[in-house]
Amino acid sequence: MKVLIIEDEDQSISALKSEIATHCKPLEIVGIAKSVTEGIEKIKSLEPELVFLDIQLSDGLGFEILNHFKEGIRFHVIFTTAYSQYAIKAIKFSALDYLLKPIDSEELVEAVDKALKSTQKDSVAKIENFLYNQREPQIRKKIVLQTSDGLSIFEIETILKCSSESNYTCLYFTSGKKMLFSKTLKEFEELLCNSGFERIHNSHIVNLNHLVSFVNKDGGYVVLSDKSTLPVSQRKKANLITALGNLS
């Protein structure tokens, strides 16, 4: 697999090249770019199959490179970053891979293995979803999730609630459909909370845009737009009231 590294720090470039040479034998580094402009030029000329893309470059954000190729992306992407929780959240929403600097060898091998096994179609779908989410307001964002049939993309506004089922999570949609995913509720909490969702119980996360009322009796419970009710734990009650206050 032909690899292009887009990174503006010499030390980070050397470290990544060394890690790839030691742990990722199927990869061939065909070029290095240190800016958005140079990255675009080298993708065109070298036609890499995998791009290691630093989020923050000297002349802009690495995301700008993807925007340039949005009509014809033909490569896999692994982001690299030293910080930026916002960027990492956006990347996770689209099921893309990222590596935190300094890069961990095991995480590198895992990310590269995913890229080697991933189809070009799946990779393009993830990147297109990522770029869509950068353009659209929060309520219209989409999330990429792995299902038994492959990758599926869902508009987060259509997710009504998430309920824990052991190490799995069941998502309930406004259409009445429900689906089981092999992610824990904690993983969905990290993905969805701060995006209009609130964990109200050890077993439940709700979409605040579909919350009709919070009833502060019988221990406390919420009523959702599908007329279902869910309990609110004592520990989560204060956070829910604060979240509802922020909506007004």
Side-chain angles (χ1 to χ4, degrees), residues 173-191:
F173 296 87
T174 52
S175 64
K177 182 179 181 179
K178 63 180 183 178
M179 296 179 69
L180 196 65
F181 294 91
S182 57
K183 284 182 180 289
T184 63
L185 195 65
K186 178 66 176 175
E187 290 176 281
F188 275 104
E189 181 181 12
E190 292 172 356
L191 276 174

Side-chain angles (χ1 to χ4, degrees), residues 16-76:
L16 182 53
K17 286 173 69 176
S18 176
E19 289 288 341
I20 289 173
T22 304
H23 301 288
C24 306
K25 301 299 183 184
L27 302 188
E28 176 195 1
I29 299 172
V30 295
I32 307 290
K34 293 187 174 183
S35 66
V36 170
T37 303
E38 189 180 8
I40 291 170
E41 291 173 354
K42 290 204 171 178
I43 288 174
K44 288 178 178 177
S45 62
L46 299 174
E47 298 184 343
E49 296 162 278
L50 172 62
V51 174
F52 285 91
L53 181 57
D54 189 13
I55 290 174
Q56 186 71 54
L57 296 165
S58 57
D59 61 339
L61 295 174
F63 307 151
E64 295 170 34
I65 296 173
L66 298 182
N67 266 315
H68 185 87
F69 291 97
K70 63 185 177 183
E71 301 301 328
I73 294 170
R74 296 184 179 87
F75 50 86
H76 302 278

Side-chain angles (χ1 to χ4, degrees), residues 99-239:
L99 299 169
L100 284 174
K101 302 175 191 177
I103 290 171
D104 177 82
S105 302
E106 290 184 10
E107 291 178 359
L108 171 64
V109 170
E110 184 180 346
V112 168
D113 188 51
K114 284 183 186 177
L116 290 169
K117 292 177 180 177
S118 178
T119 65
Q120 189 62 50
K121 181 181 177 182
D122 282 352
S123 184
V124 169
K126 291 176 184 179
I127 294 170
E128 286 179 345
N129 186 76
F130 175 81
L131 295 176
Y132 171 89
N133 283 342
Q134 301 307 298
R135 298 190 305 268
E136 298 297 327
Q138 180 166 293
I139 193 169
R140 294 193 61 190
K141 280 182 167 41
K142 296 179 181 180
I143 187 170
V144 176
L145 296 171
Q146 185 74 43
T147 68
S148 57
D149 298 323
L151 289 178
S152 292
I153 301 174
F154 305 93
E155 294 183 4
I156 65 167
E157 63 183 304
T158 66
I159 301 172
L160 189 70
K161 58 188 176 183
C162 314
S163 294
S164 174
E165 295 194 12
S166 187
N167 288 326
Y168 294 83
T169 300
C170 188
L171 265 58
Y172 294 78
F173 296 87
T174 52
S175 64
K177 182 179 181 179
K178 63 180 183 178
M179 296 179 69
L180 196 65
F181 294 91
S182 57
K183 284 182 180 289
T184 63
L185 195 65
K186 178 66 176 175
E187 290 176 281
F188 275 104
E189 181 181 12
E190 292 172 356
L191 276 174
L192 295 172
C193 290
N194 298 322
S195 294
F197 289 73
E198 185 71 25
R199 187 160 185 172
I200 61 167
H201 189 275
N202 193 44
S203 300
H204 305 293
I205 295 170
V206 296
N207 186 338
L208 295 176
N209 291 305
H210 293 294
L211 194 150
V212 174
S213 62
F214 165 56
V215 182
N216 197 12
K217 64 178 184 179
D218 298 328
Y221 63 92
V222 294
V223 180
L224 300 178
S225 57
D226 66 344
K227 299 183 180 179
S228 64
T229 62
L230 291 172
V232 179
S233 71
Q234 288 298 317
R235 289 194 307 114
K236 302 292 185 183
K237 192 176 292 186
N239 289 343

